Amino acid sequence: MDLILLQEDQYQLEKHDLVAIIAEIKSTMELKAREKHVTIAIDCEKGSLLLEKDLIKIVIFNLVDNALKASAAEQIITIRAYWRGSRYVLEVIDQGIGIPKEHQDKIFEPFYVADKSRTRGNNGAGLGLSICQSIARIHHAIFEVSSEENQGTTFRLIFDQGEREGGGIQ
């Protein structure tokens, strides 16, 4: 249902600091991570972007949720945001099971599940990354993914707009 709604261009993008959005949802993400004995580390440079706040929260929650599913106890998930020239980059990095190379080009397809043990009964319908991709398009942003099996995965969301500001959260 979310995918159908996300295809409509009726979103009002407003200037928001991504660091402030992450700070708003930090405790919820940490609570979920504690249940699995995983640590969430946050290292973000401030930056104002044109965003639809609730949609960006969905992306972050989804990426962190996927990272938690891929992680084992005592591992770390890092949320990092930084400037790369004029582009603002949001990364969610895990130390988990990784995504096999042969699956990496398909992970944003609706209903595609790379890890076949993640069936619908095991909290995976294969829609999360497809929804994230739709949200990225609404924000004129692109995803990059780098992953090595048994080494972890980095999801990078690159925004081609924004303004630098001082400060950040750790």
Side-chain angles (χ1 to χ4, degrees):
M1 201 57 160
D2 285 339
L3 280 174
I4 294 166
L5 296 173
L6 289 174
Q7 292 172 358
E8 298 174 17
D9 289 330
Q10 298 180 1
Y11 293 97
Q12 187 66 39
L13 303 182
E14 297 175 0
K15 196 169 277 205
H16 290 282
D17 176 15
L18 190 61
V19 172
I21 293 172
I22 292 169
E24 281 181 32
I25 61 177
K26 181 181 177 187
S27 61
T28 305
M29 291 185 297
E30 288 175 335
L31 182 65
K32 204 165 184 186
R34 265 195 301 274
E35 291 172 7
K36 196 160 179 191
H37 305 284
V38 171
T39 301
I40 293 184
I42 299 177
D43 179 15
C44 297
E45 291 180 32
K46 282 187 166 251
S48 287
L49 303 168
L50 290 174
L51 304 170
E52 203 298 320
K53 188 176 177 179
D54 292 330
L55 292 180
I56 291 300
K57 287 180 181 180
I58 289 169
V59 170
I60 297 167
F61 274 128
N62 219 307
L63 295 177
V64 170
D65 189 55
N66 284 351
L68 283 168
K69 290 175 186 173
S71 298
E74 309 308 319
Q75 290 185 328
I76 298 171
I77 295 170
T78 303
I79 300 171
R80 181 179 296 142
Y82 58 91
W83 287 95
R84 185 195 297 164
S86 64
R87 294 181 172 164
Y88 193 71
V89 181
L90 170 67
E91 292 180 335
V92 175
I93 306 158
D94 70 55
Q95 302 169 327
I97 60 174
I99 303 166
K101 292 274 185 238
E102 65 270 16
H103 295 286
Q104 290 180 20
D105 62 339
K106 299 178 188 101
I107 59 174
F108 290 102
E109 293 175 12
F111 306 109
Y112 189 81
V113 181
D115 179 357
K116 299 305 177 195
S117 68
R118 284 197 212 166
T119 61
R120 193 164 172 78
N122 196 14
N123 297 324
L127 287 173
L129 289 176
S130 183
I131 291 168
C132 288
Q133 181 77 286
S134 295
I135 293 171
R137 278 195 288 272
I138 289 167
H139 290 86
H140 310 288
I142 59 166
F143 269 106
E144 288 180 358
V145 180
S146 52
S147 186
E148 294 290 328
E149 285 187 80
N150 303 312
Q151 301 292 313
T153 301
T154 299
F155 278 90
R156 205 169 283 112
L157 183 58
I158 303 167
F159 296 90
D160 207 9
Q161 45 92 11
E163 295 174 14
R164 289 179 191 249
E165 293 180 9
I169 60 173
Q170 305 280 315

